[in-house]
Amino acid sequence: MSMLARTARARPKTSNLDSEFARDVIAGLSARPKWLWAKYFYDDRGSELFEQITALPEYYPTRTELGILDARAAEIARFIPPGTALIEFGSGSTAKARIVLRAAAVAAYVPVDISAGFLNSEATRLARDLPRLRILPVAADFTTPFELPAAIRTRPRVGFFPGSTIGNFEPPQAAEFLRHAARLLGQRAHFIVGVDLVKDERVLEAAYDDAAGVTAAFNLNLLRRINRELGADFDLDRFRHKALYNRAQHRIEMHLESLAAQNVVLGDRVIPFTAGETIHTESSYKYTVESFQALAAQAGWSPAAVWTDPKGYFSLHALRLA
Ligand code: SAH
Ligand code: AVI
């Protein structure tokens, strides 16, 4: 038997160990402490589970931000000149964009998302509901350079980044992203960004560890994805979801904790876990209005307006380039 045949047989049919996903997973699981990029949560199932999270009683961010958008739609629309291309980063279900699209004279909507299948089905659904709107979906990782559609080249641009997805970056990477968005959106652009606020730890921890176990399923789905796409052999019953608020860093951390000492096989590697060892799968930073404005200022954005809800749980910022 040739070397080639032996190698091919040793690996499960579905694995693609040369992909960027594989390289990132191997690097993260070889690091101490172990960690994985949160952007990999979003395969089809991950996107569906995130949608379920947004409806949970404990997960206040979505309903709170939707409330702000509803209450302030007319004020937000003042930052969106007629004929604008609205570019949404991490568009998910497009539920929040729909409020903006109803209030402003947007000519083209560009939803950008890493979850390609979900993006396309949501764009199709939106096209059915708003047949006169030009919808130009872009399946891309917004942490790396990507092109906007040529069709919007001459249009004024407004960025939209709701959901506090910016909180899933480490603060230096958030500043880097804001700089990258400034270049992409151009000189006279506005950027509407949703940012979750620092609050009572019990409210935060419940939001990321719900009673129904949906957030746990969302977190564990990452291991399921690694098994399916990379042929690893994670036993999902031997890991558990853990969420805690790190007060010093103002962030919720999600982890997957190994319930026993065990080895996981990934390609030709064996990844050892001690009992209680965790993989850090997500940080969700919480800001104050001022601390977020200071971060945006590092990237050249100045505050144009900020709206919050009556409880002060969530903030929506309109930024302009200084
Ligand atoms: N904007 C929606 C969805 C937020 S969930 C809301 O506010 O409810 C985060 C979304 O960002 C998901 O749809 C996910 O697929 C997408 N996403 C996460 N990381 C990404 C990345 N690096 N590049 C592109 N999209 C990303
Ligand atoms: C997408 N992102 C802003 C969510 C958050 O709240 O950090 C992802 C999430 N993780 C667990 N629940 C929701």
Side-chain angles (χ1 to χ4, degrees):
M1 189 169 59
S2 76
M3 256 315 273
L4 214 99
R6 251 204 315 277
T7 313
R9 193 171 303 167
R11 286 180 182 169
K13 264 199 215 120
T14 51
S15 73
N16 176 7
L17 292 166
D18 301 322
S19 64
E20 191 179 354
F21 177 43
R23 284 195 296 277
D24 285 348
V25 168
I26 290 166
L29 296 181
S30 308
R32 297 287 174 277
K34 294 181 170 67
W35 69 285
L36 293 169
W37 290 103
K39 65 184 178 187
Y40 291 127
F41 282 136
Y42 302 94
D43 61 357
D44 287 351
R45 178 77 186 131
S47 292
E48 274 164 27
L49 285 165
F50 178 75
E51 284 315 303
Q52 290 178 31
I53 288 174
T54 63
L56 291 168
E58 296 95 332
Y59 194 74
Y60 63 84
T62 306
R63 54 175 172 278
T64 308
E65 191 179 26
L66 284 169
I68 299 172
L69 284 163
D70 269 329
R72 305 295 192 162
E75 288 169 60
I76 294 165
R78 281 188 216 131
F79 293 101
I80 306 175
T84 287
L86 183 75
I87 297 144
E88 179 169 5
F89 299 90
S91 47
S93 74
T94 77
K96 291 170 187 166
R98 284 168 184 256
I99 299 174
V100 177
L101 293 168
R102 272 198 298 272
V106 169
Y109 171 56
V110 183
V112 180
D113 208 290
I114 201 168
S115 191
F118 195 74
L119 169 72
N120 287 323
S121 53
E122 291 304 314
T124 305
R125 222 162 51 87
L126 186 65
R128 235 177 271 137
D129 298 342
L130 298 176
R132 300 219 317 245
L133 178 68
R134 184 149 203 202
I135 304 170
L136 302 163
V138 175
D141 176 349
F142 56 53
T143 62
T144 61
F146 66 93
E147 296 285 317
L148 288 174
I152 65 159
R153 206 172 13 222
T154 56
R155 297 213 165 268
R157 294 166 191 182
V158 172
F160 186 44
F161 196 23
S164 205
T165 305
I166 194 148
N168 297 133
F169 287 119
E170 294 301 309
Q173 278 70 51
E176 179 56 36
F177 171 80
L178 288 167
R179 271 189 287 274
H180 164 58
R183 281 193 299 274
L184 196 72
L185 297 172
Q187 280 287 308
R188 284 185 304 282
H190 281 103
F191 201 9
I192 314 288
V193 186
V195 183
D196 198 13
L197 296 173
V198 171
K199 61 184 62 63
D200 187 320
E201 287 174 34
R202 285 163 301 186
V203 175
L204 286 169
E205 289 188 343
Y208 291 84
D209 197 6
D210 59 286
V214 183
T215 311
F218 174 72
N219 200 1
L220 284 158
N221 181 58
L222 184 50
L223 301 185
R224 198 186 296 279
R225 179 177 187 186
I226 295 170
N227 283 350
R228 190 185 61 248
E229 293 186 23
L230 307 180
D233 70 347
F234 278 102
D235 178 348
L236 270 61
D237 293 331
R238 300 177 90 200
F239 286 85
R240 81 169 178 105
H241 164 71
K242 210 172 146 180
L244 56 95
Y245 186 61
N246 180 330
R247 206 175 303 156
Q249 309 230 51
H250 311 291
R251 70 185 195 201
I252 281 281
E253 293 177 10
M254 295 211 315
H255 294 260
L256 289 164
E257 181 184 7
S258 174
L259 295 173
Q262 55 182 318
N263 289 326
V264 172
V265 174
L266 172 51
D268 55 6
R269 290 162 197 262
V270 176
I271 298 151
F273 285 85
T274 57
E277 185 177 2
T278 74
I279 311 171
H280 184 179
T281 50
E282 185 182 62
S283 289
S284 195
Y285 280 84
K286 308 303 167 188
Y287 290 89
T288 61
V289 165
E290 295 72 25
S291 68
F292 179 71
Q293 288 176 340
L295 180 85
Q298 287 176 38
W301 293 99
S302 348
V306 58
W307 304 278
T308 59
D309 57 293
K311 281 184 174 165
Y313 273 14
F314 202 92
S315 60
L316 190 66
H317 297 252
L319 305 172
R320 74 163 92 80
L321 284 171

